[in-house]
Every structure is written in structure tokens, then in C-alpha cells.
Short mmCIF file of all heavy atoms in Angstrom, two decimals:
data_model
loop_
_atom_site.label_atom_id
_atom_site.label_comp_id
_atom_site.label_asym_id
_atom_site.label_seq_id
_atom_site.Cartn_x
_atom_site.Cartn_y
_atom_site.Cartn_z
N MET X 1 94.46 99.66 37.30
CA MET X 1 94.68 101.11 37.08
C MET X 1 95.63 101.67 38.15
O MET X 1 95.66 101.18 39.27
CB MET X 1 93.33 101.84 37.13
CG MET X 1 92.68 101.83 38.48
SD MET X 1 91.11 102.70 38.52
CE MET X 1 90.09 101.66 37.50
N SER X 2 96.37 102.67 37.76
CA SER X 2 97.32 103.24 38.72
C SER X 2 97.23 104.75 38.64
O SER X 2 97.27 105.33 37.55
CB SER X 2 98.75 102.79 38.43
OG SER X 2 99.12 103.16 37.12
N ASP X 3 97.10 105.39 39.76
CA ASP X 3 97.03 106.84 39.82
C ASP X 3 98.38 107.40 40.23
O ASP X 3 99.11 106.75 40.97
CB ASP X 3 95.97 107.26 40.83
CG ASP X 3 94.58 106.84 40.39
OD1 ASP X 3 94.28 106.99 39.19
OD2 ASP X 3 93.83 106.34 41.25
N PRO X 4 98.69 108.58 39.75
CA PRO X 4 99.95 109.19 40.11
C PRO X 4 99.98 109.58 41.59
O PRO X 4 98.97 109.96 42.17
CB PRO X 4 100.04 110.43 39.23
CG PRO X 4 98.62 110.74 38.90
CD PRO X 4 97.92 109.41 38.83
N CYS X 5 101.15 109.45 42.18
CA CYS X 5 101.32 109.88 43.57
C CYS X 5 101.20 111.39 43.66
O CYS X 5 101.77 112.11 42.86
CB CYS X 5 102.70 109.42 44.07
SG CYS X 5 103.16 110.11 45.65
N ASP X 6 100.46 111.86 44.65
CA ASP X 6 100.31 113.30 44.83
C ASP X 6 101.58 113.95 45.33
O ASP X 6 101.73 115.16 45.32
CB ASP X 6 99.18 113.59 45.83
CG ASP X 6 97.82 113.33 45.19
OD1 ASP X 6 97.77 113.27 43.95
OD2 ASP X 6 96.84 113.19 45.92
N GLY X 7 102.49 113.12 45.82
CA GLY X 7 103.72 113.68 46.37
C GLY X 7 104.80 113.84 45.29
O GLY X 7 105.36 114.90 45.12
N CYS X 8 105.08 112.75 44.56
CA CYS X 8 106.17 112.81 43.61
C CYS X 8 105.71 112.69 42.18
O CYS X 8 106.48 112.85 41.25
CB CYS X 8 107.18 111.69 43.93
SG CYS X 8 106.49 110.04 43.87
N GLY X 9 104.42 112.40 41.98
CA GLY X 9 103.86 112.37 40.63
C GLY X 9 104.09 111.07 39.90
O GLY X 9 103.62 110.91 38.78
N ARG X 10 104.77 110.13 40.52
CA ARG X 10 104.99 108.85 39.87
C ARG X 10 103.75 107.98 39.98
O ARG X 10 103.03 108.04 40.98
CB ARG X 10 106.15 108.13 40.55
CG ARG X 10 107.49 108.64 40.09
CD ARG X 10 108.65 108.10 40.92
NE ARG X 10 108.35 106.80 41.53
CZ ARG X 10 109.18 106.18 42.36
NH1 ARG X 10 110.34 106.74 42.67
NH2 ARG X 10 108.87 105.02 42.88
N ALA X 11 103.53 107.19 38.94
CA ALA X 11 102.42 106.24 39.00
C ALA X 11 102.72 105.17 40.03
O ALA X 11 103.81 104.63 40.08
CB ALA X 11 102.22 105.63 37.63
N VAL X 12 101.74 104.92 40.86
CA VAL X 12 101.94 103.93 41.92
C VAL X 12 100.95 102.79 41.76
O VAL X 12 99.81 102.99 41.33
CB VAL X 12 101.77 104.57 43.32
CG1 VAL X 12 102.91 105.54 43.60
CG2 VAL X 12 100.45 105.29 43.44
N GLU X 13 101.41 101.62 42.08
CA GLU X 13 100.51 100.46 42.05
C GLU X 13 99.44 100.63 43.12
O GLU X 13 99.68 101.23 44.17
CB GLU X 13 101.30 99.19 42.32
CG GLU X 13 102.44 98.95 41.35
CD GLU X 13 101.92 98.60 39.97
OE1 GLU X 13 100.80 98.05 39.89
OE2 GLU X 13 102.62 98.86 38.99
N ASP X 14 98.27 100.09 42.83
CA ASP X 14 97.18 100.25 43.78
C ASP X 14 97.51 99.60 45.13
O ASP X 14 97.01 100.00 46.18
CB ASP X 14 95.88 99.68 43.22
CG ASP X 14 96.05 98.23 42.79
OD1 ASP X 14 97.20 97.76 42.82
OD2 ASP X 14 95.04 97.61 42.44
N ALA X 15 98.36 98.59 45.08
CA ALA X 15 98.75 97.91 46.32
C ALA X 15 99.59 98.83 47.20
O ALA X 15 99.67 98.65 48.41
CB ALA X 15 99.51 96.64 46.02
N LEU X 16 100.24 99.79 46.56
CA LEU X 16 101.11 100.68 47.33
C LEU X 16 100.45 102.03 47.61
O LEU X 16 100.95 102.82 48.40
CB LEU X 16 102.41 100.93 46.53
CG LEU X 16 103.25 99.67 46.28
CD1 LEU X 16 104.50 100.05 45.47
CD2 LEU X 16 103.67 99.03 47.59
N ALA X 17 99.33 102.27 46.93
CA ALA X 17 98.70 103.56 47.10
C ALA X 17 97.97 103.64 48.41
O ALA X 17 97.41 102.63 48.90
CB ALA X 17 97.72 103.83 45.97
N ARG X 18 97.99 104.80 48.98
CA ARG X 18 97.25 104.99 50.23
C ARG X 18 96.46 106.29 50.14
O ARG X 18 96.99 107.31 49.77
CB ARG X 18 98.23 105.09 51.41
CG ARG X 18 99.10 103.87 51.57
CD ARG X 18 100.13 104.10 52.65
NE ARG X 18 101.10 103.02 52.65
CZ ARG X 18 101.38 102.29 53.70
NH1 ARG X 18 100.79 102.53 54.85
NH2 ARG X 18 102.29 101.37 53.67
N ALA X 19 95.23 106.20 50.47
CA ALA X 19 94.40 107.41 50.52
C ALA X 19 94.46 107.96 51.93
O ALA X 19 94.06 107.29 52.89
CB ALA X 19 92.96 107.10 50.13
N VAL X 20 94.95 109.17 52.05
CA VAL X 20 95.13 109.77 53.36
C VAL X 20 94.02 110.75 53.63
O VAL X 20 93.78 111.66 52.85
CB VAL X 20 96.49 110.49 53.43
CG1 VAL X 20 96.67 111.12 54.80
CG2 VAL X 20 97.60 109.53 53.15
N GLN X 21 93.34 110.55 54.70
CA GLN X 21 92.32 111.49 55.12
C GLN X 21 92.51 111.78 56.59
O GLN X 21 91.96 111.11 57.47
CB GLN X 21 90.92 110.96 54.85
CG GLN X 21 90.43 111.27 53.44
CD GLN X 21 88.95 110.96 53.30
OE1 GLN X 21 88.47 109.97 53.78
NE2 GLN X 21 88.23 111.86 52.66
N LEU X 22 93.30 112.78 56.86
CA LEU X 22 93.57 113.15 58.25
C LEU X 22 93.36 114.65 58.40
O LEU X 22 93.55 115.42 57.48
CB LEU X 22 95.00 112.80 58.63
CG LEU X 22 95.30 111.29 58.68
CD1 LEU X 22 96.80 111.08 58.92
CD2 LEU X 22 94.52 110.62 59.79
N GLN X 23 93.01 115.04 59.57
CA GLN X 23 92.82 116.47 59.80
C GLN X 23 94.14 117.10 60.22
O GLN X 23 94.81 116.65 61.14
CB GLN X 23 91.79 116.68 60.91
CG GLN X 23 90.35 116.41 60.43
CD GLN X 23 89.36 116.88 61.46
OE1 GLN X 23 89.56 116.72 62.64
NE2 GLN X 23 88.30 117.51 60.96
N VAL X 24 94.46 118.13 59.50
CA VAL X 24 95.68 118.88 59.82
C VAL X 24 95.27 120.18 60.53
O VAL X 24 94.46 120.92 60.01
CB VAL X 24 96.47 119.22 58.54
CG1 VAL X 24 97.72 120.02 58.88
CG2 VAL X 24 96.81 117.95 57.82
N ASP X 25 95.85 120.38 61.69
CA ASP X 25 95.53 121.56 62.48
C ASP X 25 94.04 121.63 62.80
O ASP X 25 93.50 122.67 63.06
CB ASP X 25 95.94 122.84 61.75
CG ASP X 25 97.44 122.96 61.67
OD1 ASP X 25 98.13 122.26 62.43
OD2 ASP X 25 97.93 123.71 60.83
N GLY X 26 93.39 120.50 62.78
CA GLY X 26 91.99 120.42 63.15
C GLY X 26 91.04 121.10 62.19
O GLY X 26 89.90 121.34 62.50
N SER X 27 91.51 121.41 61.02
CA SER X 27 90.63 122.16 60.10
C SER X 27 90.70 121.59 58.68
O SER X 27 89.68 121.43 58.04
CB SER X 27 91.00 123.63 60.10
OG SER X 27 92.34 123.81 59.69
N THR X 28 91.87 121.30 58.23
CA THR X 28 92.04 120.92 56.85
C THR X 28 92.11 119.41 56.68
O THR X 28 92.87 118.75 57.35
CB THR X 28 93.34 121.51 56.26
OG1 THR X 28 93.31 122.93 56.44
CG2 THR X 28 93.46 121.19 54.80
N VAL X 29 91.28 118.89 55.82
CA VAL X 29 91.34 117.46 55.55
C VAL X 29 92.25 117.22 54.35
O VAL X 29 92.03 117.75 53.28
CB VAL X 29 89.93 116.91 55.23
CG1 VAL X 29 90.02 115.41 54.87
CG2 VAL X 29 89.03 117.12 56.44
N ASP X 30 93.29 116.46 54.60
CA ASP X 30 94.25 116.19 53.56
C ASP X 30 93.91 114.87 52.88
O ASP X 30 94.01 113.81 53.49
CB ASP X 30 95.64 116.14 54.18
CG ASP X 30 96.67 116.66 53.18
OD1 ASP X 30 96.38 116.67 51.97
OD2 ASP X 30 97.77 117.00 53.62
N ASP X 31 93.50 114.96 51.65
CA ASP X 31 93.12 113.77 50.94
C ASP X 31 94.08 113.55 49.77
O ASP X 31 94.03 114.23 48.77
CB ASP X 31 91.69 113.92 50.42
CG ASP X 31 91.16 112.61 49.86
OD1 ASP X 31 91.93 111.63 49.83
OD2 ASP X 31 90.01 112.58 49.44
N GLN X 32 94.98 112.63 49.96
CA GLN X 32 96.01 112.42 48.96
C GLN X 32 96.19 110.94 48.68
O GLN X 32 95.87 110.09 49.51
CB GLN X 32 97.36 112.99 49.45
CG GLN X 32 97.29 114.45 49.82
CD GLN X 32 98.64 114.91 50.37
OE1 GLN X 32 99.62 114.95 49.65
NE2 GLN X 32 98.66 115.30 51.63
N ARG X 33 96.73 110.68 47.51
CA ARG X 33 97.15 109.32 47.20
C ARG X 33 98.66 109.30 47.13
O ARG X 33 99.24 109.94 46.26
CB ARG X 33 96.53 108.87 45.86
CG ARG X 33 96.84 107.44 45.54
CD ARG X 33 96.17 107.06 44.23
NE ARG X 33 94.72 107.23 44.30
CZ ARG X 33 93.88 106.32 44.84
NH1 ARG X 33 94.38 105.23 45.30
NH2 ARG X 33 92.61 106.55 44.87
N LEU X 34 99.25 108.59 48.03
CA LEU X 34 100.70 108.67 48.17
C LEU X 34 101.35 107.30 48.08
O LEU X 34 100.77 106.29 48.51
CB LEU X 34 101.07 109.29 49.52
CG LEU X 34 100.52 110.71 49.78
CD1 LEU X 34 100.81 111.11 51.21
CD2 LEU X 34 101.10 111.71 48.81
N CYS X 35 102.52 107.29 47.49
CA CYS X 35 103.32 106.08 47.54
C CYS X 35 103.91 105.95 48.95
O CYS X 35 103.93 106.94 49.68
CB CYS X 35 104.43 106.14 46.47
SG CYS X 35 105.72 107.36 46.80
N PRO X 36 104.37 104.78 49.33
CA PRO X 36 104.88 104.60 50.69
C PRO X 36 105.94 105.60 51.09
O PRO X 36 105.98 106.06 52.23
CB PRO X 36 105.46 103.17 50.66
CG PRO X 36 104.66 102.47 49.62
CD PRO X 36 104.34 103.52 48.59
N THR X 37 106.80 105.96 50.16
CA THR X 37 107.87 106.90 50.47
C THR X 37 107.29 108.27 50.81
O THR X 37 107.61 108.88 51.83
CB THR X 37 108.84 107.05 49.28
OG1 THR X 37 109.40 105.79 48.99
CG2 THR X 37 109.95 108.04 49.63
N CYS X 38 106.37 108.75 49.97
CA CYS X 38 105.79 110.06 50.21
C CYS X 38 104.84 110.00 51.41
O CYS X 38 104.70 110.98 52.15
CB CYS X 38 105.03 110.54 48.96
SG CYS X 38 106.13 110.95 47.60
N PHE X 39 104.24 108.86 51.62
CA PHE X 39 103.37 108.70 52.77
C PHE X 39 104.13 108.86 54.06
O PHE X 39 103.72 109.58 54.98
CB PHE X 39 102.69 107.33 52.71
CG PHE X 39 101.74 107.10 53.86
CD1 PHE X 39 100.45 107.60 53.82
CD2 PHE X 39 102.15 106.37 54.97
CE1 PHE X 39 99.58 107.39 54.88
CE2 PHE X 39 101.28 106.13 56.02
CZ PHE X 39 100.00 106.66 55.98
N ALA X 40 105.28 108.21 54.13
CA ALA X 40 106.14 108.32 55.31
C ALA X 40 106.59 109.76 55.51
O ALA X 40 106.63 110.26 56.64
CB ALA X 40 107.35 107.40 55.19
N ASP X 41 106.93 110.42 54.42
CA ASP X 41 107.36 111.81 54.52
C ASP X 41 106.22 112.71 54.99
O ASP X 41 106.41 113.61 55.78
CB ASP X 41 107.85 112.29 53.14
CG ASP X 41 108.42 113.68 53.20
OD1 ASP X 41 109.43 113.88 53.88
OD2 ASP X 41 107.84 114.60 52.60
N TRP X 42 105.02 112.42 54.47
CA TRP X 42 103.88 113.22 54.86
C TRP X 42 103.55 113.03 56.33
O TRP X 42 103.25 113.98 57.05
CB TRP X 42 102.67 112.84 53.98
CG TRP X 42 101.49 113.71 54.20
CD1 TRP X 42 101.22 114.88 53.54
CD2 TRP X 42 100.44 113.49 55.16
NE1 TRP X 42 100.01 115.40 54.07
CE2 TRP X 42 99.55 114.57 55.04
CE3 TRP X 42 100.19 112.49 56.10
CZ2 TRP X 42 98.39 114.68 55.81
CZ3 TRP X 42 99.04 112.62 56.87
CH2 TRP X 42 98.17 113.69 56.72
N ILE X 43 103.62 111.80 56.78
CA ILE X 43 103.38 111.52 58.20
C ILE X 43 104.37 112.25 59.07
O ILE X 43 104.03 112.78 60.12
CB ILE X 43 103.44 109.99 58.46
CG1 ILE X 43 102.21 109.31 57.86
CG2 ILE X 43 103.52 109.71 59.95
CD1 ILE X 43 100.90 109.74 58.51
N THR X 44 105.62 112.31 58.62
CA THR X 44 106.64 113.00 59.39
C THR X 44 106.27 114.49 59.52
O THR X 44 106.34 115.06 60.61
CB THR X 44 108.00 112.88 58.71
OG1 THR X 44 108.36 111.51 58.62
CG2 THR X 44 109.07 113.63 59.48
N ARG X 45 105.88 115.10 58.41
CA ARG X 45 105.48 116.51 58.47
C ARG X 45 104.23 116.68 59.32
O ARG X 45 104.11 117.67 60.05
CB ARG X 45 105.21 117.04 57.06
CG ARG X 45 106.42 117.02 56.16
CD ARG X 45 106.25 118.02 55.02
NE ARG X 45 104.94 117.86 54.36
CZ ARG X 45 104.72 117.09 53.32
NH1 ARG X 45 105.72 116.40 52.80
NH2 ARG X 45 103.54 117.01 52.78
N TYR X 46 103.31 115.73 59.22
CA TYR X 46 102.09 115.81 59.97
C TYR X 46 102.38 115.77 61.48
O TYR X 46 101.85 116.57 62.25
CB TYR X 46 101.17 114.66 59.57
CG TYR X 46 99.93 114.53 60.41
CD1 TYR X 46 98.83 115.36 60.16
CD2 TYR X 46 99.85 113.60 61.44
CE1 TYR X 46 97.69 115.25 60.93
CE2 TYR X 46 98.70 113.49 62.22
CZ TYR X 46 97.63 114.32 61.97
OH TYR X 46 96.50 114.19 62.72
N GLU X 47 103.25 114.85 61.87
CA GLU X 47 103.57 114.73 63.28
C GLU X 47 104.30 115.96 63.79
O GLU X 47 104.12 116.38 64.92
CB GLU X 47 104.41 113.47 63.51
CG GLU X 47 103.60 112.21 63.33
CD GLU X 47 104.47 110.96 63.50
OE1 GLU X 47 105.70 111.10 63.47
OE2 GLU X 47 103.90 109.87 63.68
N GLU X 48 105.12 116.56 62.92
CA GLU X 48 105.82 117.78 63.32
C GLU X 48 104.83 118.92 63.55
O GLU X 48 104.99 119.72 64.45
CB GLU X 48 106.82 118.17 62.23
CG GLU X 48 108.05 117.28 62.22
CD GLU X 48 109.00 117.67 61.10
OE1 GLU X 48 108.64 118.54 60.30
OE2 GLU X 48 110.10 117.09 61.06
N GLN X 49 103.79 118.94 62.74
CA GLN X 49 102.80 119.99 62.92
C GLN X 49 101.96 119.76 64.16
O GLN X 49 101.55 120.70 64.85
CB GLN X 49 101.85 120.07 61.70
CG GLN X 49 102.56 120.59 60.46
CD GLN X 49 101.59 120.70 59.28
OE1 GLN X 49 100.39 120.67 59.44
NE2 GLN X 49 102.14 120.83 58.10
N MET X 50 101.70 118.49 64.44
CA MET X 50 100.83 118.18 65.56
C MET X 50 101.57 118.22 66.91
O MET X 50 100.95 118.18 67.96
CB MET X 50 100.20 116.80 65.36
CG MET X 50 99.28 116.77 64.16
SD MET X 50 97.99 118.03 64.20
CE MET X 50 96.97 117.38 65.53
N SER X 51 102.86 118.25 66.86
CA SER X 51 103.63 118.31 68.09
C SER X 51 104.55 119.54 68.06
O SER X 51 105.67 119.49 67.62
CB SER X 51 104.50 117.05 68.26
OG SER X 51 105.34 116.89 67.14
N PRO X 52 104.01 120.65 68.54
CA PRO X 52 104.78 121.88 68.52
C PRO X 52 106.03 121.79 69.37
O PRO X 52 106.02 121.23 70.45
CB PRO X 52 103.81 122.94 69.10
CG PRO X 52 102.81 122.13 69.87
CD PRO X 52 102.71 120.82 69.14
N LYS X 53 107.12 122.32 68.84
CA LYS X 53 108.39 122.24 69.55
C LYS X 53 108.45 123.22 70.70
O LYS X 53 109.03 122.95 71.73
CB LYS X 53 109.52 122.47 68.58
CG LYS X 53 109.68 121.36 67.56
CD LYS X 53 110.87 121.65 66.61
CE LYS X 53 111.06 120.47 65.69
NZ LYS X 53 109.88 120.26 64.83
N GLN X 54 107.85 124.39 70.51
CA GLN X 54 107.89 125.37 71.58
C GLN X 54 106.96 124.96 72.70
O GLN X 54 105.81 124.61 72.48
CB GLN X 54 107.51 126.77 71.07
CG GLN X 54 106.07 126.92 70.60
CD GLN X 54 105.92 126.55 69.15
OE1 GLN X 54 106.79 125.90 68.59
NE2 GLN X 54 104.83 126.96 68.54
N SER X 55 107.49 124.95 73.91
CA SER X 55 106.71 124.49 75.06
C SER X 55 106.29 125.68 75.90
O SER X 55 106.56 125.75 77.07
CB SER X 55 107.53 123.50 75.90
OG SER X 55 108.71 124.11 76.33
N SER X 56 105.68 126.66 75.25
CA SER X 56 105.29 127.86 75.96
C SER X 56 103.78 127.92 76.21
O SER X 56 103.28 128.88 76.73
CB SER X 56 105.72 129.10 75.15
OG SER X 56 105.09 129.10 73.89
N ASP X 57 103.10 126.88 75.82
CA ASP X 57 101.66 126.91 75.95
C ASP X 57 101.19 125.88 77.00
O ASP X 57 100.86 124.77 76.69
CB ASP X 57 100.99 126.61 74.60
CG ASP X 57 99.49 126.83 74.67
OD1 ASP X 57 99.01 127.42 75.67
OD2 ASP X 57 98.79 126.41 73.73
N ASP X 58 101.23 126.31 78.24
CA ASP X 58 100.73 125.47 79.33
C ASP X 58 101.42 124.11 79.34
O ASP X 58 100.79 123.06 79.49
CB ASP X 58 99.22 125.31 79.24
CG ASP X 58 98.65 124.73 80.52
OD1 ASP X 58 99.26 124.97 81.59
OD2 ASP X 58 97.62 124.05 80.46
N SER X 59 102.71 124.12 79.16
CA SER X 59 103.44 122.88 79.14
C SER X 59 104.03 122.58 80.52
O SER X 59 104.47 123.47 81.22
CB SER X 59 104.57 122.94 78.11
OG SER X 59 105.34 121.76 78.16
N THR X 60 104.03 121.34 80.89
CA THR X 60 104.58 120.95 82.19
C THR X 60 105.90 120.24 82.00
O THR X 60 106.33 119.47 82.86
CB THR X 60 103.59 120.03 82.92
OG1 THR X 60 103.36 118.88 82.10
CG2 THR X 60 102.27 120.74 83.18
N ASP X 61 106.52 120.50 80.87
CA ASP X 61 107.72 119.74 80.56
C ASP X 61 108.94 120.24 81.30
O ASP X 61 109.61 119.50 81.98
CB ASP X 61 107.95 119.82 79.05
CG ASP X 61 109.15 118.96 78.63
OD1 ASP X 61 109.13 117.76 78.96
OD2 ASP X 61 110.08 119.49 78.02
N SER X 62 109.24 121.55 81.19
CA SER X 62 110.53 122.03 81.66
C SER X 62 110.37 122.93 82.89
O SER X 62 111.02 122.71 83.91
CB SER X 62 111.26 122.77 80.55
OG SER X 62 110.46 123.86 80.09
N GLU X 63 109.51 123.91 82.78
CA GLU X 63 109.46 124.90 83.85
C GLU X 63 108.24 124.69 84.75
O GLU X 63 107.13 124.60 84.28
CB GLU X 63 109.40 126.30 83.25
CG GLU X 63 110.68 126.68 82.53
CD GLU X 63 110.66 128.13 82.08
OE1 GLU X 63 109.63 128.80 82.35
OE2 GLU X 63 111.66 128.58 81.51
N ILE X 64 108.52 124.62 86.00
CA ILE X 64 107.42 124.51 86.98
C ILE X 64 107.45 125.75 87.85
O ILE X 64 108.43 126.05 88.52
CB ILE X 64 107.58 123.26 87.86
CG1 ILE X 64 107.57 122.00 86.99
CG2 ILE X 64 106.49 123.22 88.92
CD1 ILE X 64 107.80 120.71 87.76
N ILE X 65 106.35 126.50 87.80
CA ILE X 65 106.30 127.75 88.56
C ILE X 65 105.60 127.52 89.88
O ILE X 65 104.48 127.07 89.93
CB ILE X 65 105.55 128.84 87.76
CG1 ILE X 65 106.27 129.08 86.43
CG2 ILE X 65 105.43 130.12 88.58
CD1 ILE X 65 105.54 130.03 85.53
N VAL X 66 106.35 127.83 90.96
CA VAL X 66 105.76 127.65 92.27
C VAL X 66 105.70 129.00 92.96
O VAL X 66 106.70 129.69 93.10
CB VAL X 66 106.62 126.69 93.12
CG1 VAL X 66 106.02 126.57 94.53
CG2 VAL X 66 106.71 125.36 92.44
N ASP X 67 104.55 129.37 93.38
CA ASP X 67 104.41 130.66 94.08
C ASP X 67 104.84 130.53 95.53
O ASP X 67 104.33 129.65 96.22
CB ASP X 67 102.95 131.15 94.02
CG ASP X 67 102.62 131.61 92.60
OD1 ASP X 67 103.56 132.01 91.87
OD2 ASP X 67 101.44 131.54 92.23
ZN1 ZN P 101 105.38 109.52 45.92
#
């Protein structure tokens, strides 16, 4: 049996299907069946969400304040 990919809607072989259960923003559980292409794309978006670009929240990356 083959279920459609939640990303692109194409039927994917079970060998290629992946059930994703990860917490997004610590609240939402994303449960999807994705083909490898959509899975990689989803992971990219997930990592972008989990790694904020703005470093204004107690970040020690760029600015060091010395009194
Ligand atoms: Zn897909």
C-alpha cells in the first residue's frame, strides 16, 4: 500500500515514506508522511524555525556588553 505524500500529494512507496513526529515551537506535533524530497524541505523549514536569525534574545554571538 502507498499513501500520498502530505507535502506534494504524490503516492510514495512505503520504503520512501517517513512519518514525522517532531515538536514545532515546543507546542505543535507535526505528524506527516513525506517523500524524501518533501522531508528534506520540511526539515529545512523546521531548522529555520528552531534557529532564530535575530540574535536579540540573550545571545552571546555578536555584542558583548561590559559595564
Ligand atoms: Zn512529497
Side-chain angles (χ1 to χ4, degrees):
M1 66 180 69
S2 59
D3 295 317
C5 169
D6 286 342
C8 60
R10 280 170 26 183
V12 291
E13 302 290 334
D14 55 353
L16 299 179
R18 301 174 190 236
V20 181
Q21 274 191 317
L22 294 173
Q23 285 191 319
V24 179
D25 292 341
S27 59
T28 304
V29 176
D30 212 341
D31 189 357
Q32 305 177 64
R33 184 178 302 277
L34 301 173
C35 68
T37 300
C38 290
F39 181 81
D41 184 65
W42 186 89
I43 288 295
T44 299
R45 296 202 312 268
Y46 173 79
E47 289 178 344
E48 286 178 353
Q49 290 183 16
M50 296 305 290
S51 58
K53 292 181 176 62
Q54 66 273 17
S55 59
S56 61
D57 188 12
D58 194 29
S59 176
T60 59
D61 183 55
S62 58
E63 294 187 359
I64 299 176
I65 300 175
V66 178
D67 288 334

